[in-house]
Amino acid sequence: QVQLVESGGGLVQAGGSLRLSCAASGSALGIRTRGWYRQTPGKERERVAVISSGGYTNYADFVKGRFTISRDNAKNMMYLQMNSLKPEDTAVYYCNVDSILKTYWGQGTQVTVSS
């Protein structure tokens, strides 16, 4: 089992930056990717960025060039650096671990970008 706890969300003005953190505990076999997703009311959860076990990254088009996903394996941490934030980035951001047996989610952290 894996437990995930996000932190770092908050209120920021458009053009500003935030760094989200995800602390992981526990273990799981066959982890394929770790990532960040987001969701706004009435919409489906959407993928923001993922990083594979081999360190390859993939970003949604709407964050390319602005967000950076990274991880620190020694600390069991994952991060999402968000720059040049826009009001449309407002959402609850979730940390995700996808393994061959199960997908794990954190409880989410709210990010609000004011115009």
Side-chain angles (χ1 to χ4, degrees), residues 41-72:
K43 293 187 177 181
E44 292 188 357
R45 195 170 296 186
E46 59 183 1
R47 187 171 70 177
V48 175
V50 294
I51 183 167
S52 73
S53 296
Y56 295 102
T57 59
N58 184 269
Y59 297 90
D61 287 342
F62 51 78
V63 303
K64 280 182 180 177
R66 300 188 298 125
F67 290 11
T68 303
I69 188 172
S70 63
R71 67 184 187 192
D72 185 333

Side-chain angles (χ1 to χ4, degrees), residues 88-104:
E88 50 264 44
D89 294 319
T90 295
V92 177
Y93 284 72
Y94 296 91
C95 178
N96 165 279
V97 169
D98 181 54
S99 74
I100 58 176
L101 295 179
K102 188 175 179 180
T103 297
Y104 301 90

Side-chain angles (χ1 to χ4, degrees), residues 22 24 34 51 70-79:
C22 175
R34 297 172 175 84
I51 183 167
S70 63
R71 67 184 187 192
D72 185 333
N73 290 335
K75 296 181 179 179
N76 283 334
M77 296 291 294
M78 182 172 64
Y79 306 98

Side-chain angles (χ1 to χ4, degrees), residues 6 8-12 18 20 36-48 62-63 67 80 82 85-95 107-114:
E6 302 96 335
L11 174 64
V12 64
L18 282 175
L20 304 183
W36 291 94
Y37 290 68
R38 70 186 189 186
Q39 189 171 23
T40 55
K43 293 187 177 181
E44 292 188 357
R45 195 170 296 186
E46 59 183 1
R47 187 171 70 177
V48 175
F62 51 78
V63 303
F67 290 11
L80 185 68
M82 306 187 294
L85 283 161
K86 305 174 182 180
E88 50 264 44
D89 294 319
T90 295
V92 177
Y93 284 72
Y94 296 91
C95 178
Q107 82 289 349
T109 185
Q110 176 71 46
V111 171
T112 303
V113 185
S114 63

